[in-house]
């Protein structure tokens, strides 16, 4: 059996039975990367030596019968916006070229404690700002299902790495859909947990009130396992929730009885691709056959989500990214006239265009005379969006929707039209604004052979419910078993 | 007519954000930011009278911890990514007049 494209449960079982060592598994991962990453472009950095050394330690523990972590020996890729001690972390930006964090992010510590093997760091839109992984200062990542298409973004490298069979699991971050949209575009399970469920310590900030880390996997069990390892309170992130973490894997096979799924009228409007709509409706039929009740609900403020997001996220970004001053770390210009000019020149040279665009938009929205009209107004409509969800969840357990209005778009297609690119996140942004958990699951293919995702959203801390519902659909379909031919 | 920022307005915001822009970037941002600001006008349809702004998804609570000194990064590690140091401190261009 080839480990390429296998699920986490399969790989863990093989290692347990002694059919694969972790070293063999990691070598297969590096071979796969060597064979196809020059075309896919998922990784910015791989550390073969460190990974194989760690894999050998896990194999040794297993041989000795020592206690093993939940991810023992599994290769995992990490989005390059998450700090890894001693390994470069660039945010796909020239600003952080050569930056090596002196500490591990909380989630990286969790991976190490669970005996996972970190294979490398994956490409993204610079500082996680984008929906296509084209805004990287280093390379463009391509969709393993069709190399002419984007894998989505901003966690496009993490999604492509799993979809292409390089690793079975990866970490992404999701500020407006950056896990769920690439999961949808690449035919994976991708989850954004409730805001605060996973510590953001060591996640390089884009928009702090919206950012969350989450898992990518081929199947629901893989995503549930990784979430279980990562979730929990961390005193180093004061927004992390001090609630106990349930076992997401334990009850996964138990179908939910009397499940009520809400479908928002506002989600099925002009701009939604016909094949995407058909796939979502087909998924709803699957749930109907499984005994779920489909209820029409309304999210009247959802049409404002893009405007609200782009008043709030760039404002937070303009503040967060003020730390790149060419003094403590990051790029410093070679030529400048004085201190202020050093800041301006270093930042002008270090940041790419989309990052500058968002910093400018945020600085404008926060500047004297405009704060009330843009930022404060955005925060008020944000509450109305959350109120819509609270009202909807009084009538249903989950909300089902498309992940994105279309399947993966072509590389270059939207890159010169920022507003059109921003509008592609219309279905995913609201969950970040409201702080809700959401999962994208494979739900079909377009006539062109591109994956189509289904998004399920739940009330705060309903990850267990979302994953069980996702597993119900997965058991009744075989979309998640397909793998692309990366040639 | 779509909103256009003037080059002076773009330069003003760029200075607030400490960004040196190329002339081409100034021109692009003048129209692109204008287009976004036009798009934001849709929010004016929404009646937000008496709506509390929502800064965070988790309702605001104070998070306290004991005021106890914890180990911090060793100096060498804190300095290791800096563009310019003397081994003890971060070095920056002269800020105060020499005279």
């Amino acid at each position: 059996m080839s480990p390429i494209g296998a699920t986490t449960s399969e790989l863990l079982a093989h290692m347990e039975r002694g059919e694969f060592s972790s070293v063999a598994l990691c070598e297969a991962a590096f071979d796969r990367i060597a064979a196809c990453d020059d075309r896919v472009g998922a990784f910015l950095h791989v550390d073969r030596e460190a990974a194989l050394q760690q894999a050998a330690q896990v194999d040794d523990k297993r041989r000795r019968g020592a206690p093993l972590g939940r991810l023992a020996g599994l290769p995992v890729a990490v989005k390059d916006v998450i700090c890894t001690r001693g390994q470069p972390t660039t945010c796909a930006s020239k600003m952080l070229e050569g930056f090596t964090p002196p500490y591990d992010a909380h989630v990286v510590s969790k991976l190490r404690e669970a005996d996972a093997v970190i294979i490398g760091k994956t490409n993204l839109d610079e500082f996680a700002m984008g929906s296509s992984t084209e805004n990287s200062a280093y390379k463009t990542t391509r969709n393993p299902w069709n190399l002419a298409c984007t894998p989505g973004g901003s966690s496009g490298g993490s999604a492509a790495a799993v979809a292409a069979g390089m690793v079975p699991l990866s970490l992404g971050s999701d500020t407006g859909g950056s896990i769920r949209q690439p999961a949808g575009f690449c035919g994976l399970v991708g989850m954004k947990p409730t805001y605060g469920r996973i510590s953001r310590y060591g996640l390089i900030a884009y928009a702090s009130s919206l950012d969350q880390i989450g898992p990518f996997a081929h199947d629901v069990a893989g995503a549930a396992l990784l979430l279980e390892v990562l979730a929990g309170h961390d005193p180093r992130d004061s927004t992390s929730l001090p609630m106990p973490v349930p076992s997401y894997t334990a009850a996964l096979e138990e179908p939910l009885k009397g499940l009520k799924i809400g479908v928002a009228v506002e989600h099925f409007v002009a701009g939604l691709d016909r094949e995407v709509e058909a796939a979502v409706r087909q998924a709803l039929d699957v749930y109907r056959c499984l005994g779920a009740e489909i209820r029409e609900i309304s999210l009247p403020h959802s049409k404002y989500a893009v405007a609200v997001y782009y008043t709030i996220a760039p404002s937070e970004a303009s503040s967060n990214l003020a730390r790149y001053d060419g003094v403590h770390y990051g790029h410093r210009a070679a030529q400048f006239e004085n201190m202020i000019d050093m800041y301006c020149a270093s930042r002008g040279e270090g940041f790419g265009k989309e990052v500058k665009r968002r910093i400018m938009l945020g600085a404008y929205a926060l500047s004297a005379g405009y704060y009330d009209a843009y930022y404060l107004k955005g925060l008020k409509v944000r509450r109305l969006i959350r109120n819509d969800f609270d009202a909807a969840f009084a009538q249903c357990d989950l909300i089902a929707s498309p992940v994105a209005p279309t399947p993966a778009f072509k590389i270059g297609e939207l890159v010169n039209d920022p507003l059109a690119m921003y509008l592609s996140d219309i279905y995913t942004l609201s969950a970040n604004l409201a702080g809700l958990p959401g999962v994208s699951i494979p739900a079909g293919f377009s006539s062109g052979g591109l994956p189509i995702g289904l998004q399920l959203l739940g009330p705060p801390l309903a990850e267990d419910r979302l994953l069980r519902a996702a597993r119900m659909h997965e058991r009744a379909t075989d979309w998640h078993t397909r793998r692309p031919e990366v040639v | 007519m779509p909103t256009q920022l003037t080059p002076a307005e773009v330069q003003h915001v760029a200075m607030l954000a400490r960004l040196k822009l190329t002339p081409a970037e100034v021109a692009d941002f003048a129209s692109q930011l204008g287009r976004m600001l036009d798009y934001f006008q849709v929010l004016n349809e929404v009646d937000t009278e008496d709506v509390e702004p929502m800064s965070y998804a988790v309702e605001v609570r104070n998070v306290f911890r004991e005021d106890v000194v914890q180990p911090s990064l060793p100096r060498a590690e804190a300095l290791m990514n800096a563009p310019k140091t003397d081994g003890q401190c971060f070095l920056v261009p002269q800020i105060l007049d020499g005279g």
Side-chain angles (χ1 to χ4, degrees):
Chain A
M1 183 238 171
S2 160
I4 303 301
T7 66
T8 51
S9 329
E10 289 165 349
L11 294 172
L12 287 170
H14 280 294
M15 282 192 285
E16 211 138 289
R17 291 198 297 264
E19 291 158 16
F20 284 133
S21 64
S22 174
V23 167
L25 204 54
C26 293
E27 275 176 343
F30 287 114
D31 288 350
R32 183 72 174 164
I33 292 167
C36 61
D37 205 38
D38 58 334
R39 277 154 299 150
V40 175
F43 281 89
L44 288 175
H45 173 78
V46 291
D47 197 338
R48 189 186 175 103
E49 207 174 308
L52 291 178
Q53 202 180 347
Q54 208 200 333
Q57 283 169 8
V58 176
D59 286 338
D60 186 53
K61 267 182 162 179
R62 198 186 294 276
R63 256 193 308 275
R64 288 187 283 114
L68 288 169
R70 303 286 306 278
L71 304 174
L74 287 177
V76 179
V78 176
K79 186 179 183 180
D80 205 27
V81 71
I82 295 172
C83 288
T84 42
R85 182 181 166 90
Q87 275 188 343
T89 300
T90 66
C91 295
S93 179
K94 292 284 179 202
M95 180 57 87
L96 286 177
E97 190 164 15
F99 175 72
T100 306
Y103 64 91
D104 275 334
H106 180 75
V107 290
V108 171
S109 304
K110 287 283 189 184
L111 288 179
R112 297 196 203 278
E113 282 166 26
D115 288 322
V117 179
I118 296 169
I119 291 290
K121 307 296 290 290
T122 56
N123 198 21
L124 63 148
D125 288 298
E126 185 178 352
F127 284 100
M129 298 180 190
S131 312
S132 67
T133 319
E134 292 166 288
N135 295 326
S136 162
Y138 300 103
K139 56 164 80 165
T140 295
T141 302
R142 294 170 180 274
N143 191 316
W145 290 91
N146 182 337
L147 297 174
C149 292
T150 81
S154 65
S155 312
S158 284
V162 176
M166 300 171 191
V167 284
L169 289 174
S170 63
L171 294 191
S173 66
D174 189 315
T175 305
S178 284
I179 292 172
R180 289 160 289 152
Q181 182 252 27
F185 281 9
C186 292
L188 302 174
V189 177
M191 184 174 225
K192 181 202 94 74
T194 306
Y195 183 78
R197 183 70 290 191
I198 295 177
S199 167
R200 292 180 293 111
Y201 177 78
L203 168 68
I204 296 176
Y206 158 24
S208 307
S209 82
L210 306 167
D211 297 338
Q212 264 297 287
I213 294 168
F216 285 100
H218 286 297
D219 64 356
V220 178
L225 176 64
L226 186 48
L227 177 65
E228 207 168 297
V229 165
L230 303 177
H233 180 247
D234 170 19
R236 297 171 299 182
D237 171 5
S238 56
T239 64
S240 82
L241 297 168
M243 278 78 163
V245 180
S247 170
Y248 300 114
T249 50
L252 206 53
E253 300 301 325
E254 286 172 38
L256 293 155
K257 294 200 179 71
L259 181 63
K260 292 190 279 290
I261 297 180
V263 174
V265 281
E266 293 84 1
H267 284 163
F268 295 87
V269 291
L272 177 60
D273 178 272
R274 280 172 50 200
E275 291 185 318
V276 173
E277 176 167 359
V280 171
R281 300 232 180 254
Q282 197 185 346
L284 293 173
D285 285 340
V286 168
Y287 279 111
R288 257 188 218 102
C289 290
L290 294 169
E293 183 193 333
I294 311 297
R295 286 192 177 181
E296 196 169 274
I297 53 143
S298 178
L299 299 168
H301 294 93
S302 59
K303 66 174 165 178
Y304 303 112
V306 176
V308 171
Y309 180 86
Y310 282 96
T311 55
I312 295 173
S315 296
E316 293 188 16
S318 76
S319 171
N320 272 326
L321 274 64
R323 71 190 64 181
Y324 302 100
D325 57 2
V327 174
H328 303 93
Y329 42 75
H331 176 75
R332 180 186 289 195
Q335 288 184 348
F336 47 83
E337 284 162 19
N338 53 43
M339 186 77 173
I340 299 286
D341 192 47
M342 184 194 83
Y343 293 148
C344 296
S346 302
R347 292 161 60 78
E349 292 170 11
F351 291 134
K353 193 156 183 190
E354 181 62 27
V355 174
K356 288 183 204 171
R357 192 183 284 130
R358 293 197 194 189
I359 290 174
M360 289 289 289
L361 190 57
Y364 185 92
L366 292 175
S367 65
Y370 298 104
Y371 178 89
D372 285 1
Y374 297 110
Y375 182 66
L376 194 62
K377 183 79 182 180
L379 291 182
K380 289 179 176 178
V381 182
R382 180 181 185 180
R383 178 165 308 274
L384 297 174
I385 289 172
R386 171 63 186 259
N387 291 349
D388 284 355
F389 279 109
D390 289 346
F393 287 126
Q395 302 168 57
C396 63
D397 303 312
L398 302 172
I399 296 171
S401 78
V403 176
T406 63
F409 45 86
K410 290 231 154 52
I411 287 166
E413 192 177 331
L414 300 181
V415 80
N416 293 317
D417 191 348
L419 186 55
M421 184 78 91
Y422 298 167
L423 287 167
S424 76
D425 293 334
I426 181 102
Y427 293 107
T428 48
L429 296 170
S430 297
N432 300 81
L433 293 169
L436 307 176
V439 65
S440 173
I441 59 175
F445 285 82
S446 71
S447 50
L450 289 167
I452 297 175
L454 173 77
Q455 177 177 243
L456 299 174
L457 299 177
L461 295 172
E463 283 84 1
D464 51 344
R465 191 191 299 169
L466 279 178
L467 290 163
R468 280 170 70 184
R471 177 63 186 140
M472 287 166 70
H473 177 268
E474 186 178 78
R475 260 162 37 142
T477 56
D478 66 356
W479 308 117
H480 65 289
T481 62
R482 303 205 192 172
R483 301 287 181 267
E485 290 281 330
V486 187
V487 284
Chain B
M1 253 310 260
T3 303
Q4 260 307 96
L5 270 61
T6 65
E9 285 173 308
V10 174
Q11 294 288 14
H12 168 67
V13 178
M15 181 45 87
L16 292 176
R18 300 288 187 257
L19 280 175
K20 188 175 277 182
L21 302 179
T22 65
E25 285 171 335
V26 172
D28 283 356
F29 290 163
S31 64
Q32 287 168 353
L33 297 182
R35 223 181 131 208
M36 287 304 292
L37 298 176
D38 285 341
Y39 182 69
F40 292 159
Q41 296 308 315
V42 70
L43 295 177
N44 293 331
E45 293 171 9
V46 188
D47 180 3
T48 50
E49 192 75 31
D50 300 327
V51 177
E52 275 289 302
M54 177 177 162
S55 309
Y56 266 88
V58 179
E59 286 310 323
V60 181
R61 60 193 155 82
N62 275 325
V63 179
F64 296 108
R65 64 165 180 255
E66 293 303 314
D67 187 12
V68 177
V69 177
Q70 306 265 359
S72 55
L73 279 182
R75 185 189 295 256
E77 288 187 29
L79 291 171
M80 75 182 189
N81 283 291
K84 206 165 180 194
T85 78
D86 63 1
Q88 298 290 307
C89 299
F90 297 102
L91 294 186
V92 296
Q94 185 172 339
I95 299 167
L96 304 172
D97 277 339

